[in-house]
Amino acid sequence: MSFDSAALVNFATMTESDIIFKLSGLRRTYTVGSEQVHALDGVDLTIQDREFIAVVGTSGSGKSTLMHVLGFMDSPTAGRMEFESKDVTGINGADRADLRASRIGFVFQSFNLLPRLSVVDNVLLPLTYSRSAVSNKRELGMAALERVGMAHRSSHTPNQLSGGERQRVAIARALINQPRLILADEPTGNLDTKNRGLIMELFASLLEEGITLAIVTHDEEVAAYANRRIRMEDGKVVEDSKS
Ligand SMILES: Nc1ncnc2c1ncn2[C@@H]1O[C@H](COP(=O)(O)OP(=O)(O)O)[C@@H](O)[C@H]1O
Ligand SMILES: [Mg+2]
């Protein structure tokens, strides 16, 4: 009798705990003067461990708003949002800040590195905001830089690096708190083709290490790295397909 233990383990571990986010009827409405803008207009979405999601859609379709809400940088105005099986729809600012600092990594199109800090100090920044005390900070920072191939530039400042190198440092910063999920909003938007490829290979290696990724992109080649594609239109998810 053949016995596929790997399949059994996978089956056994496919429980609620594999679900990172569950959004139901989620809305984020902005009021501008007398007008209401529905940046998110009833989003139903489940994000599971080890997914690599490409979020696509035209400008203004709500992609960044979705990233900000998932990253606890912005709050929904209606609907329900569960994180790790807990209702986090209306959590307070301190809990929100704590989750933002400790559970999720961010990567932005414009890198968002602080120019006066060294590369390693930039990488360590999220630890400043998280509640847990860390004694071996520098070692952690160097380990994160190793993972992105930038340890040799740890004492440089960001302006001494190329765009692709800055984005690798930004990814090291996103990794410092050992996040379960990394959210990236057009992370390759400012990069040339070669660096775009390097950054996507790096993301693919993080996926292999077990990190879940959600990446906003305009670029079909970048989207091709993902195993799930979500298309937004007018604040709604109009396509959600796995490959
Ligand atoms: N702070 C804000 N105030 C008012 N409207 C906003 C704000 N942020 C985003 N929006 C609006 O919400 C919609 C979605 O924006 P966004 O999520 O940035 O889209 P995308 O990232 O897909 O380009 C757009 O119509 C945008 O103008
Ligand atoms: Mg955007």
Side-chain angles (χ1 to χ4, degrees), residues 105-113 118-124 126 140-154 156-158 160-176 182 184 186-206 209 211 213:
F106 290 100
V107 180
F108 303 91
Q109 178 171 4
S110 51
F111 321 130
N112 290 11
L113 300 173
S118 70
V119 159
V120 70
D121 285 336
N122 265 285
V123 169
L124 293 174
L140 286 179
M142 291 308 292
L145 284 169
E146 292 284 355
R147 281 169 84 179
V148 303
M150 288 297 293
H152 61 302
R153 307 299 290 274
S154 63
H156 291 221
T157 53
Q160 296 170 320
L161 307 179
S162 73
E165 289 172 332
R166 285 180 206 188
Q167 197 57 301
R168 276 148 67 192
V169 171
I171 293 169
R173 181 184 55 190
L175 289 168
I176 196 73
I182 288 185
E186 305 198 34
T188 62
N190 286 339
L191 303 180
D192 59 27
T193 313
K194 177 172 166 258
N195 277 301
R196 210 179 303 160
L198 288 172
I199 293 297
M200 292 315 292
E201 279 167 29
L202 180 55
F203 279 130
S205 74
L206 297 180
E209 291 173 30
I211 294 175
L213 299 154

Side-chain angles (χ1 to χ4, degrees), residues 20 72 83-84 98-105 177-182:
I20 303 175
F72 300 105
F83 177 67
E84 299 183 331
D98 199 40
L99 286 173
R100 179 168 63 222
S102 62
R103 312 292 284 130
I104 291 165
N177 277 319
Q178 296 177 285
R180 187 172 180 186
L181 173 70
I182 288 185

